């Protein structure tokens, strides 16, 4: 397994921006597809975005397309989630996840995940 640590969450006003980071250790980062999921209070965990191991392919939930951007820096073992035009509905704990198979990861069937970082959007 790869160990994941998220950072960058916080409180932001609606319409604002945040950038989340997730740093990995323990395995060869470039072998893993990476993704972000979120879970709001009383709701199921939902897929947000994913990126292939090479960074050549990205995937987004419809609810965040055009507002969020996932990227990775394999030299720094880090994946990012840039979130623009934040809405109150984006309030959730955001989790970083990793799996060797991006299709499995997108389905929520991943092998590693972090402890999460809280994002709160005030309206």
């Amino acid at each position: 397994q790869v160990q994941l640590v998220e950072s960058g969450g916080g409180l932001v006003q609606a319409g604002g921006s945040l950038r989340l980071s997730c740093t990995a250790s323990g395995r060869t980062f470039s072998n893993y597809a990476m993704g972000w999921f979120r879970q709001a209070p009383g709701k199921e965990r939902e897929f947000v975005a994913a990126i292939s191991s090479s960074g050549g392919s990205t995937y987004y939930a419809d609810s965040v397309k055009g507002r969020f951007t996932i990227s990775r820096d394999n030299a720094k073992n880090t994946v990012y989630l840039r979130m623009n035009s934040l809405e109150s509905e984006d309030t959730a704990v955001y989790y970083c996840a990793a799996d060797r198979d991006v299709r499995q990861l997108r389905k929520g069937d991943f092998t590693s995940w972090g402890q999460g970082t809280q994002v709160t959007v005030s309206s």
Side-chain angles (χ1 to χ4, degrees), residues 41-55:
K43 294 188 177 181
E44 296 285 319
R45 183 185 66 195
E46 64 173 346
F47 168 75
V48 175
I51 188 166
S52 62
S53 57
S54 67

Side-chain angles (χ1 to χ4, degrees), residues 95-107:
Y95 297 91
C96 176
D99 197 89
R100 289 180 177 267
D101 188 331
V102 70
R103 292 166 296 180
Q104 292 295 106
L105 187 148
R106 290 174 64 194
K107 292 191 296 184

Side-chain angles (χ1 to χ4, degrees), residues 3-77:
Q3 287 74 50
L4 304 171
V5 178
E6 303 96 334
S7 62
L11 174 64
V12 62
Q13 289 188 328
S17 298
L18 280 176
R19 189 181 78 160
L20 305 183
S21 300
C22 172
T23 301
S25 61
R27 290 289 187 267
T28 303
F29 180 72
S30 58
N31 287 343
Y32 287 81
M34 300 296 297
W36 290 93
F37 289 75
R38 66 187 181 185
Q39 188 166 20
K43 294 188 177 181
E44 296 285 319
R45 183 185 66 195
E46 64 173 346
F47 168 75
V48 175
I51 188 166
S52 62
S53 57
S54 67
S57 297
T58 56
Y59 310 87
Y60 297 94
D62 287 343
S63 59
V64 307
K65 277 181 184 176
R67 299 189 299 122
F68 290 12
T69 302
I70 189 170
S71 61
R72 66 190 295 159
D73 185 337
N74 284 351
K76 295 183 177 180
N77 289 0

